[in-house]
Structure formats: structure tokens, C-alpha cells
Amino acid sequence: MSGLEMIKGRVFKLGDNVDTDLIIPGRYLNDPDPEVMAAHCLEDAIENLPGRIQKGDILAAGKNFGCGSSREHAPVAIAAVGFSCVVAKDYARIFYRSSFNLGLPILEAPELADEVREGDVLSVSLDSGKIRNETTGKDYGFRPFPAFMRELLEAGGLIPYTLGKGGKGGRV
Amino acid sequence: MGMTVSEKILAAHAGLDCVEPGELISARLDLVLANDITGPVSIREMRQYGFQEVFDPERIALIQDHFAPPKDIPSAALYTAMRDFAREKGIVHYYEAGQCGIEHCFLPESGLVSPGDLIIGGDSHTCTYGALGAFAAGVGNKDLTVGMATGEAWFRIPETMLFLLTGKPGNPWVSGKDYILAVIGRIGVDGAQYKAMEFAGEAVADLSMDGRMTMCNMAIEAGAKTGLIAPDDKTLSYIRDRAKRPWKAYYSDPDAHYERVVEMNVEDMRPLVAFPHLPSNIRDVGEARHISVDQVVIGSCTNGRIEDLRTAAGILKGRRVHPYVRAVVLPGSQPIYIQAVREGLVEIFAEAGCAVSTPTCGPCLGGYMGILDKGERCVSTTNRNFIGRMGHPESEVYLSNPAVAAASAVAGHIADPDEVVG
């Protein structure tokens, strides 16, 4: 099994039930260019995000992150604007599977999601399942990826995975 | 151990005798749906990754509905991408605006959805088809791309929650919309996260197919993977002259395992309104009457069907929309539009002062055809009232059934239909 990367970045923090309309509003869905999505990502929630984010920063939120529409534009926008991963209590279903299908790591860490503050710096080891809040010095675990999700991440997403294997029904 | 409807459909499509919640399967799809927002992205991805052909040109539906007819030049480019692809691959179920309508209204009435089907769609409200006893789930673009190319998708077998709705509503305005808002209000917007919601009981059996589609449509608003209702005589008579393919009805076993059973009696239920900014934020319509409205939207994949239009027209007939209210009526599909014309409903709406549009998702997702300014409030029969959903981030959307929406259009504030009709 090949290793997954280490991530380090500053936190932008949001609350519960962040929906996909908030992540990328419907008014921008007429243009599927990831750069357009990045320019408007979370614009009604975080002022001037594209001007403030540094590549690799981390988005933290509460429960049911990514609820609402099936638009994959939402995880695409999060990655395109520069976030390296999302850390939340849990995720809405379509957002969850789309993120793994894309190869965007999303982590379930309820305790950290409660305690982390805007601007804290986190180090994430995707391989060992650990997150360190470098600002406070506290260590956290995150819920391990199910084996299939890990395979998807390691393959770089669902399409490379499918091209590599080819599904023929049955259990995976 | 017995299986639920969902488990049986998923097992059958994976070539397995039985499955259990939590298992991951790869399953064969009966239909793959894409719209103007998701279709062009997957079409681009198919080309980018070298998928030469679709798995079956008769089992892919390409529907133009969100911004259709094209609202601007970028949207028009989405449609040319779909048209070029449909021509090139011989997609049978490709439809231009004027020949389809909102996907989740049009596909069931066109016979492209049948009991026992396994369907994915690049739209979260694909779960609507559960009303016909199909297992249908919204997916993102990677699933859609791979589904279009291979006819397969991966699924985690969901736990099933059973919602037993008992009794008959005493209030004549209570509808499937109120049932599903009540369910979401009870369990919350993540109350069925990753789960299948199965609806049953006398109140569900008494609903028309239109009302059942409204209920299953909003299962996603509780976080569910799908919402479904086992087929009965109404279902079978609905699909008898429509179904385009052989089909098979599945029923939950008597000893099927439900993760949770939620019972709700509807006898004392009153029309409900979901306040901003979550569909779970419900209140009795009587508690909302102080709220003035600037716009009313009647339509969408949730409530744009003929029964919804009849209800709204029944209230608007011989009445006028309030002088300071913009009322937009969007029949859900071309067949529904034609039926509404034949029944004189369009005339009633037009004479009442409504802007009646060709079918489109338009305002529901803040696309066009009724976008809200800062501070404006809308009562809408749609499905989401998130921040900025219908326009300005400081606008507000209140979700209701068609009767409350029509009454509110007349009153100029959120109104109990009895207040307007009585």
C-alpha cells in the first residue's frame, strides 16, 4: 500500500450543516471551470477567501458538512481554491463519496472539530490517522478511512481506480 | 434475516442473494441521469479520460432543466455540449427545453423509471423515483461519468429507517409536502444520513403518486441516500401504460431489519412552513402569519406536478395576487404544462396575476426566473431554504405546500389557506 501525504495548514472554521449552495452558489453553476468555482468558493460565508487563503490551508466545520445538492462543483471548488483537506464532525452522503471519488481527503474528527479555532495550524498524517494542533500542541485521531475509500484516495479517485480495475458486479 | 426493499434491489443488481448494511457492492444500473449542470462536466470527463462509448445509449437520460431555456451564453454552451454528445453517441433520451421539463417530473411520467430499478442521477433529488419503488440516488460527477461509461456504480448498503405515517389528516390542506417536512423536522437535516428512508402506513397509502413523489423527493433533505415506498395498486396502475422496460416490484420481508422505526400520526397535522435556513426548521402555518412576502414560487421537482397546480389554482381562481407580490408558477414538465392548459389552470394563474413560465428549475437554485434581492422574502413550494439559495445571501426562503404558497400570494403574507378561501 502506497503512502498518503502529510498535510500542514492554517484553519478556516465554519459551523454545522454547511450546504453546497454556501460552498458554491447556484448562480455560478452555469460555468463548470474550476477557476470560476475557486473564485466564488464560500463567498457568502468567508469574506475574500481567494485573497486570504494560502495553498494547503484546512477547512474545519461541524456536523453534516456538504449537505444539499449533488454538485461535485462543491468539493472541486474547495480543492481549487487551495484547501488541502476538510476536517469536520461528519459529512453529507453525496459530498462524502464525491470527495473520495475526486481524491480530496476529508476527515471525521469530532473532538477536533469542536475545539479547533480559526487560524490554528494543523498537521495531518493521512497514513497514521493523526492530527496535531500545532498551535495548542494537542493531538487528535480521526476516523480511519474504510479500506475501499483509502484505495480510491491512493488511486487518485474513482476514474483512475475504474480504469485500473474495471468493475464487474458483486462485492468490492 | 429478511431484507428491506432497498437491500433487495441492491442485491439483485449486484448479482448477490443477500446483502447487509455496511457492505460495499458494485452494481449494474438501469438508468443514468444527467442534467445541464452535471451532464456537461461528465461529458468533458468522458472525453478527457478516453471513455469512447456510453454503456447503453437507451439507458442514459440527458435533460435540460436547471437553466433551460438557456438563461445566458455560458448556459447555452452547456446545452451545445449536451446536444453534440447526444448526436455523437446516439443518446435516445436526450431532450431539449420544450420537449421535457424538470427531470424528476418528466422521467417518471415518461415511463423511464420503474419499480425495482437501480438508478443514479447527477442531481440530489434523484431520490424522487423511490415513490415508484425504485432505488434511486443522487451522485456527483465522478460516479456519473463512470456510470455513463460502464453502467455500474459502487454502493455502501444503507441501513433502512421505516417511517410509519398513520391516520388520515383532518385538515384538508395537509399534503405529502407537510408529511415530509414533519419527518425532517422530527429527525433533523442529518437524521437519515447515509440511510434509506422507507415510507409506509395509511397516510402514505392514501397519497396520490404525485404526493408520494413529493415525499421521496425530499428524503435528501434529511441526509438520506434515498427515500422509497413499496409499490401498491396505485403504483402499478401509474406505470402500467408507461413503463418502457420490464420491471420487478420488491417488498420488504416481514422480518426485515430496520435500524429505526418512526411512527407519526397525521390526524392533527396542520400545514407546515420551514423557516430559513434549514428544511427542518418547521412551524405550524398559524405561527407564520405575521411574515410578509415579496415573492411566491409554485413549482419544482418537489411540487410542480398536476395535483400541485390544481391545488394552487383552486385557491387562485377568481382571486388576485397581492399587488406587492411577484408570483411565479412553473409547471414541472411539458406534459404537465399541456395538461394545465387543457384544464384551464394556466388561464386561472394568468388571470390571477401570476408569471407562468415554461418548465424550469430556475428560481429554486437561484438560477433565474425569480431571483431574490437583499431582504426579500419568498414562500416557495421548492425543497431548500439555505442561505442564498434563491438569490441574495440576505434573502429568505420559506418552504410550504402549494396551498399555503397560493394563499400567501393572495394575502401578501404567509397565510393559512382557510384564511383566503374561507
Side-chain angles (χ1 to χ4, degrees):
Chain A
M1 189 180 277
S2 68
L4 294 167
E5 60 182 323
M6 291 285 297
I7 289 169
K8 188 171 180 179
R10 286 178 317 158
V11 165
F12 286 82
K13 187 167 185 188
L14 298 169
D16 290 339
N17 301 313
V18 173
D19 61 77
T20 54
D21 280 273
L22 201 61
I23 297 169
I24 181 73
R27 57 187 178 271
Y28 301 117
L29 299 181
N30 56 350
D31 190 341
D33 179 350
E35 282 186 26
V36 173
M37 295 180 220
H40 299 291
C41 181
L42 287 162
E43 72 176 16
D44 295 338
I46 303 173
E47 204 176 336
N48 188 26
L49 175 63
R52 291 164 56 203
I53 194 169
Q54 292 169 16
K55 192 166 169 52
D57 282 351
I58 292 168
L59 186 57
K63 64 173 189 165
N64 201 31
F65 185 87
C67 62
S69 146
S70 69
R71 61 190 73 161
E72 199 171 283
H73 306 59
V76 168
I78 287 170
V81 77
F83 286 115
S84 56
C85 70
V86 185
V87 184
K89 285 188 183 173
D90 59 27
Y91 298 87
R93 185 193 71 84
I94 304 175
F95 184 90
Y96 179 85
R97 72 183 278 153
S98 285
S99 296
F100 284 95
N101 284 345
L102 270 174
L104 172 70
I106 60 172
L107 316 177
E108 292 181 329
E111 189 188 0
L112 174 108
D114 270 336
E115 294 177 359
V116 73
R117 289 165 307 184
E118 176 93 8
D120 285 359
V121 173
L122 303 182
S123 294
V124 180
S125 166
L126 294 179
D127 254 338
S128 68
K130 290 197 165 36
I131 308 174
R132 163 165 282 236
N133 187 329
E134 303 283 359
T135 308
T136 64
K138 185 165 176 181
D139 291 320
Y140 302 84
F142 64 86
R143 202 173 147 200
F145 299 127
F148 176 62
M149 300 298 168
R150 193 185 166 96
E151 276 186 66
L152 286 179
L153 285 182
E154 288 179 350
L158 180 67
I159 293 179
Y161 173 87
T162 304
L163 289 171
K165 290 186 106 167
K168 286 284 171 280
R171 296 184 172 87
V172 296
Chain B
M1 173 76 80
M3 290 194 286
T4 65
V5 179
S6 298
E7 290 156 7
K8 286 185 180 180
I9 295 174
L10 289 167
H13 286 77
L16 299 168
D17 292 331
C18 65
V19 293
E20 287 180 18
E23 276 189 275
L24 287 164
I25 58 160
S26 176
R28 180 179 50 75
L29 302 167
D30 294 302
L31 185 73
V32 178
L33 157 73
N35 61 39
D36 44 341
I37 290 177
T38 56
V41 175
S42 282
I43 288 167
R44 185 180 68 195
E45 288 178 354
M46 278 194 68
R47 298 192 198 284
Q48 183 183 343
Y49 289 96
F51 292 111
Q52 299 298 324
E53 297 300 331
V54 298
F55 80 105
D56 184 344
E58 292 185 18
R59 288 175 184 266
I60 289 171
L62 293 179
I63 307 284
Q64 304 183 352
D65 55 8
H66 281 65
F67 303 134
K71 71 176 181 120
D72 54 17
I73 295 169
S75 321
L78 301 175
Y79 300 140
T80 49
M82 292 175 87
R83 186 188 290 140
D84 290 348
F85 183 79
R87 270 207 188 105
E88 182 185 318
K89 306 296 181 198
I91 304 295
V92 176
H93 299 294
Y94 163 79
Y95 300 99
E96 301 270 347
Q99 300 178 49
C100 55
I102 300 173
E103 48 202 341
H104 310 309
C105 295
F106 181 72
L107 293 188
E109 69 190 357
S110 304
L112 290 173
V113 176
S114 300
D117 277 356
L118 179 60
I119 298 172
I120 61 168
D123 189 278
S124 61
H125 293 107
T126 301
C127 54
T128 308
Y129 314 142
L132 279 69
F135 188 101
V139 296
N141 271 111
K142 298 299 169 285
D143 286 307
L144 185 58
T145 305
V146 169
M148 283 167 60
T150 67
E152 296 197 354
W154 66 269
F155 294 91
R156 175 189 167 280
I157 306 295
E159 293 80 6
T160 300
M161 297 171 75
L162 178 64
F163 295 83
L164 269 178
L165 276 68
T166 58
K168 291 184 186 296
N171 185 300
W173 305 111
V174 166
S175 68
K177 181 65 162 284
D178 304 288
Y179 295 170
I180 190 63
L181 286 176
V183 165
I184 298 165
R186 168 82 73 91
I187 67 172
V189 292
D190 58 353
Q193 205 178 57
Y194 303 152
K195 313 279 197 286
M197 300 170 86
E198 191 174 325
F199 304 111
E202 181 187 6
V204 175
D206 285 348
L207 286 176
S208 66
M209 291 308 293
D210 285 3
R212 295 178 188 186
M213 283 192 254
T214 300
M215 280 200 80
C216 293
N217 172 273
M218 288 188 70
I220 180 70
E221 283 12 291
K225 185 169 193 146
T226 197
L228 42 73
I229 297 167
D232 63 6
D233 289 346
K234 278 183 193 168
T235 324
L236 302 186
S237 88
Y238 181 87
I239 61 147
R240 190 164 295 130
D241 298 325
R242 291 186 166 93
K244 297 267 199 293
R245 295 188 305 269
W247 51 270
K248 182 178 176 187
Y250 292 89
Y251 300 92
S252 293
D253 292 323
D255 61 342
H257 176 72
Y258 292 102
E259 190 203 55
R260 184 179 163 196
V261 178
V262 178
E263 281 195 50
M264 297 175 75
N265 186 294
V266 305
E267 281 166 16
D268 298 327
M269 194 180 285
R270 308 226 326 121
L272 298 171
V273 175
F275 278 46
H277 290 285
L278 287 175
S280 56
N281 196 10
I282 55 163
R283 295 192 209 165
D284 186 297
V285 66
E287 297 170 46
R289 289 179 48 207
H290 60 287
I291 294 165
S292 64
V293 302
D294 307 292
Q295 174 166 295
V296 169
V297 170
I298 297 169
S300 84
C301 61
T302 309
N303 274 132
R305 297 185 181 81
I306 194 69
E307 177 181 281
D308 304 314
L309 300 183
R310 285 177 187 145
T311 299
I315 289 171
L316 287 162
K317 186 173 185 179
R319 297 189 172 85
R320 290 287 302 171
V321 171
H322 190 277
Y324 293 122
V325 172
R326 174 174 64 236
V328 182
V329 179
L330 308 118
S333 71
Q334 197 74 359
I336 293 166
Y337 189 96
I338 292 166
Q339 182 72 16
V341 169
R342 287 195 180 130
E343 292 184 18
L345 309 183
V346 170
E347 189 176 347
I348 291 169
F349 292 131
E351 284 188 346
C354 298
V356 188
S357 160
T358 192
T360 178
C361 307
C364 173
L365 76 158
Y368 77 130
M369 285 298 295
I371 301 304
L372 301 174
D373 188 14
K374 181 176 180 177
E376 277 197 307
R377 290 199 193 99
C378 178
V379 176
S380 180
T381 67
T382 55
N383 42 57
R384 292 188 177 132
N385 53 358
F386 300 150
I387 293 168
R389 171 77 178 175
M390 201 176 274
H392 196 283
E394 290 175 44
S395 61
E396 292 183 342
V397 176
Y398 295 76
L399 304 175
S400 79
N401 70 28
V404 170
S408 304
V410 172
H413 59 82
I414 297 180
D416 184 329
D418 280 335
E419 177 186 334
V420 170
V421 172

